[in-house]
Amino acid sequence: MRRGTERGTNELDPAPFIELVELYLSRDKLDEVLIRRFISGLYYCIFNYWGLKKYLANKRGGGSRQDKFSLDNLYCDLLSKNMDKKLIILLYYRVAADHHVLNPTIAEVYISKTRHFPKKEVYLTRNALEKAYKIAMEIIEKLN
Amino acid sequence: MTCPKNERTLSHQSPYYVIEIPKPIDLRGEYVSKYMRKCSMYVEVYVNLPYNEKTFYIYVGESEEKASDFIKYLMLMKGKGIDEVRNIIEKYSGEMAGQVISHFGKKLREIAALMLWADARFSAKYGEPELGMVLDLLTNEPLFLVLTFPNCSSDEWDRLITLVKDTLRSSGLEELTGMVAVVCAEGLKEELTS
């Protein structure tokens, strides 16, 4: 493993992880814990990959090694690339997977004047993981 | 840049002018041509005006264009008092208005213009838009704004995003495209349950 500025983006390339998700999606056995961890993993591997790309493009973050990035900057980048729909759907899955224990559950990613608009039922199934996987692929493609 | 003769002020309080120039257009300077390539109906140039803000908006055109529709609302908001702008934010965000104002205060006029434009342009088809916010789950701090249309489907969602963001870009508000997410409430439900 290389350190600091010697790092290349391929070291945090999410492709191998995405292949693993793909492999599990093709299998019969896929339990809820795996679905939750894969959704969360897809979300954070996008974040890591985006952060490293920023770092290598000399857009440094915070922390002693200037390698600490915040999620709001990633959101800003994705929204600037018209990826609103993908980001919002992925956020609902991520919040349901990491912060709720019931399945299906009611997740609320944003707040709005009409309170029921942001309250959506999220069911963490194979279909949900497949959708999160496709969204992650599209986001990574845009980041490249 | 020399200002065309038929300029007129939008409001006596506003530093913004609307200039209608018949085609063919003779606008000088690289800055202008850069914007002309993006949107032939609207350009933004800087001139030495004796006001705090030195942005000079020009309409160029024979017909109404989407971007220039938005610019009208933007100019209207630039000329309004802050209380009126706050009232507009409150109309669309309800009790979250305080948080919107404190976190996105620097872009308040632009956000108010966006809401008025979105309401006028899309409410007949997609319902009255609302202004919401995504909050950080741990700190409860606002992360970005959400422009929600109640009655639009998943299929219409992508088209709406493109339309809203392209309008912001062609109006010189690139920064705002990264601060606002466009959401179709019905479309989101469809996506999460399909």
Side-chain angles (χ1 to χ4, degrees), chain B residues 129-144:
Chain B
E130 288 191 9
L131 184 65
M133 275 178 302
V134 170
L135 302 177
D136 187 301
L137 284 165
L138 301 174
T139 63
N140 233 21
E141 286 289 302
L143 295 170
F144 58 87

Side-chain angles (χ1 to χ4, degrees), chain B residues 7-53:
Chain B
E7 66 182 30
R8 61 183 169 83
T9 52
L10 184 75
S11 148
H12 69 282
Q13 290 180 317
S14 170
Y16 297 93
Y17 288 77
V18 176
I19 302 165
E20 281 153 16
I21 316 165
K23 281 188 176 178
I25 312 142
D26 177 24
L27 291 171
R28 280 149 285 176
E30 277 182 28
Y31 191 86
V32 174
S33 56
K34 187 179 104 185
Y35 277 87
M36 291 298 290
R37 279 198 297 276
K38 278 176 139 183
C39 172
S40 63
M41 306 307 288
Y42 160 67
V43 291
E44 183 187 26
V45 292
Y46 290 94
V47 292
N48 292 319
L49 286 173
Y51 302 100
N52 292 336
E53 289 183 78

Side-chain angles (χ1 to χ4, degrees), chain B residues 28-86:
Chain B
R28 280 149 285 176
E30 277 182 28
Y31 191 86
V32 174
S33 56
K34 187 179 104 185
Y35 277 87
M36 291 298 290
R37 279 198 297 276
K38 278 176 139 183
C39 172
S40 63
M41 306 307 288
Y42 160 67
V43 291
E44 183 187 26
V45 292
Y46 290 94
V47 292
N48 292 319
L49 286 173
Y51 302 100
N52 292 336
E53 289 183 78
K54 292 183 178 176
T55 309
F56 193 83
Y57 291 102
I58 302 176
Y59 279 113
V60 182
E62 339 161 271
S63 62
E64 296 292 316
E65 272 283 305
K66 288 161 200 161
S68 62
D69 275 349
F70 174 73
I71 297 294
K72 280 179 193 167
Y73 287 104
L74 189 59
M75 287 194 292
L76 190 69
M77 286 300 100
K78 295 277 183 184
K80 294 284 183 197
I82 193 66
D83 287 343
E84 218 166 327
V85 177
R86 282 168 191 257

Side-chain angles (χ1 to χ4, degrees), chain A residues 71-72 75-89 91-95 99 108-115 117-118 120-123 127-128 131, chain B residues 91-96 99 128 130 132-135 137 143-144 146 148 150 154 157-158 161-162 165-166 169 177-183 185 188-189 191-192 194:
Chain A
L71 279 164
D72 52 346
Y75 299 154
C76 182
D77 260 19
L78 294 179
L79 294 175
S80 302
K81 290 176 167 54
N82 289 12
M83 306 206 76
D84 312 27
K85 186 178 176 180
K86 292 170 185 72
L87 172 63
I88 292 288
I89 295 169
L91 279 175
Y92 269 90
Y93 285 137
R94 210 286 293 185
V95 167
H99 295 269
E108 194 175 1
V109 160
Y110 69 101
I111 51 169
S112 195
K113 194 168 87 173
T114 305
R115 294 190 178 272
F117 283 171
K120 302 292 179 205
E121 185 172 71
V122 184
Y123 200 0
N127 272 354
K131 193 167 272 184
Chain B
K91 180 191 171 194
Y92 293 103
S93 59
E95 49 193 60
M96 276 102 61
Q99 264 178 297
E128 187 179 286
E130 288 191 9
M133 275 178 302
V134 170
L135 302 177
L137 284 165
L143 295 170
F144 58 87
V146 180
T148 308
S154 177
W157 192 353
D158 281 320
I161 293 168
T162 310
K165 299 284 171 99
D166 284 356
R169 274 184 207 104
T177 62
M179 290 165 64
V180 183
V182 177
V183 169
L188 179 58
K189 191 178 170 186
E191 287 288 338
L192 294 172
S194 64

Side-chain angles (χ1 to χ4, degrees), chain A:
Chain A
M1 188 186 290
R2 288 178 288 169
R3 290 181 61 193
T5 49
E6 289 173 16
R7 272 179 98 86
T9 38
N10 61 338
E11 285 163 1
L12 290 184
D13 186 347
F17 180 73
I18 283 175
E19 278 168 26
L20 185 70
V21 176
E22 215 170 44
L23 181 72
Y24 272 86
L25 275 170
S26 67
R27 287 181 183 174
D28 284 340
K29 202 176 177 187
L30 190 61
D31 66 16
E32 192 181 320
V33 173
L34 281 172
I35 290 171
R36 284 173 183 269
R37 288 310 94 225
F38 279 144
I39 286 173
S40 189
L42 286 168
Y43 175 84
Y44 280 108
C45 72
I46 289 170
F47 181 40
N48 284 163
Y49 185 56
W50 165 87
L52 185 56
K53 279 182 91 74
K54 286 270 157 199
Y55 181 89
L56 293 173
N58 274 330
K59 288 171 185 162
R60 297 297 159 90
S64 303
R65 293 197 166 167
Q66 299 177 301
D67 64 341
K68 185 182 171 191
F69 291 87
S70 64
L71 279 164
D72 52 346
N73 291 334
L74 167 67
Y75 299 154
C76 182
D77 260 19
L78 294 179
L79 294 175
S80 302
K81 290 176 167 54
N82 289 12
M83 306 206 76
D84 312 27
K85 186 178 176 180
K86 292 170 185 72
L87 172 63
I88 292 288
I89 295 169
L90 192 60
L91 279 175
Y92 269 90
Y93 285 137
R94 210 286 293 185
V95 167
D98 285 342
H99 295 269
H100 293 255
V101 291
L102 297 182
N103 188 20
T105 188
I106 304 287
E108 194 175 1
V109 160
Y110 69 101
I111 51 169
S112 195
K113 194 168 87 173
T114 305
R115 294 190 178 272
H116 73 262
F117 283 171
K119 288 180 182 169
K120 302 292 179 205
E121 185 172 71
V122 184
Y123 200 0
L124 296 168
T125 57
R126 178 186 292 272
N127 272 354
L129 176 60
E130 205 165 343
K131 193 167 272 184
Y133 154 81
K134 282 178 186 165
I135 288 172
M137 298 270 280
E138 286 175 60
I139 290 176
I140 288 158
E141 202 176 305
K142 277 264 185 184
L143 292 178
N144 282 330

